[in-house]
Structures are given as structure tokens and as C-alpha cells.
């Protein structure tokens, strides 16, 4: 499903115009991004939690030259599905 498909599905289910549904999807994405960037989490009960996870620095190996490479520490967005969401998918 693409963003266009998601907007169309939301518009149909919520009886909104596609323009309003797209504005809602964009607002949701921007809000989640800004909250995670600020170091917070977004928890949607029954759906899941968006959070930032830290990855520590580590040593890797360049597959082409087999030379060791230092990989710096970084932060990455993560999503943990909630129990209700997992159960709905498992059925």
C-alpha cells in the first residue's frame, strides 16, 4: 500500500475528502517525526509505539576489501507493535 492508497482508504472509511485525509496523514507523520526528534515516544494504545533506539558504535568489516571499518553510534526510529495489533494480524 502506498501513501496514495492509504489516503484513499482513510478518506473512504472516515467519509472525508481525499484532500482532508491527506492533510491528516501528513499531520500524523510530521507530528511523529517531531516528537521522536525531540527524544520522546508516540504510543497509540492498541496499535503500537514509535520510539528512537540508540545504536552504539561498533567495528565492521568492508566486504570488498576485508578491512576493518569503524561504524559510528547513531539513533534510529523503531516501531513496536502492540498486543491488540499483533493479535489482529495473527488471525
Amino acid at each position: 500500500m502506498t501513501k496514495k492508497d492509504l489516503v484513499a482508504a482513510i478518506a473512504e472509511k472516515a467519509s472525508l475528502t481525499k484532500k482532508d485525509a491527506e492533510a491528516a496523514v501528513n499531520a500524523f507523520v510530521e507530528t511523529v517525526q517531531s516528537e521522536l526528534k525531540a527524544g520522546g515516544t508516540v504510543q497509540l494504545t492498541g496499535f503500537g509505539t514509535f520510539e528512537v533506539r540508540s545504536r552504539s558504535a561498533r567495528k565492521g568489516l568492508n566486504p570488498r576489501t576485508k578491512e576493518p571499518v569503524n561504524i559510528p553510534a547513531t539513533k534510529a526510529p523503531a516501531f513496536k507493535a502492540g498486543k491488540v495489533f499483533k493479535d489482529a494480524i495473527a488471525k
Side-chain angles (χ1 to χ4, degrees):
M1 177 178 269
T2 65
K3 181 179 176 183
K4 184 178 178 180
D5 297 334
L6 178 63
V7 167
I10 290 172
E12 184 177 327
K13 289 189 181 215
S15 299
L16 298 171
T17 64
K18 286 185 181 180
K19 186 175 182 179
D20 290 341
E22 184 173 13
V25 169
N26 289 338
F28 173 76
V29 170
E30 290 170 11
T31 303
V32 170
Q33 286 176 348
S34 64
E35 182 63 26
L36 295 182
K37 189 173 184 178
T41 62
V42 177
Q43 184 174 1
L44 301 172
T45 304
F47 184 68
T49 303
F50 295 92
E51 61 188 1
V52 175
R53 294 186 184 153
S54 297
R55 294 183 183 165
S56 59
R58 61 193 190 280
K59 293 196 183 273
L61 198 63
N62 182 331
R64 186 172 294 179
T65 64
K66 306 296 184 206
E67 292 181 19
V69 177
N70 290 326
I71 302 171
T74 187
K75 293 181 181 179
F79 176 75
K80 181 179 177 185
K83 184 178 182 336
V84 174
F85 185 53
K86 287 180 188 176
D87 291 345
I89 300 300
K91 289 184 182 182

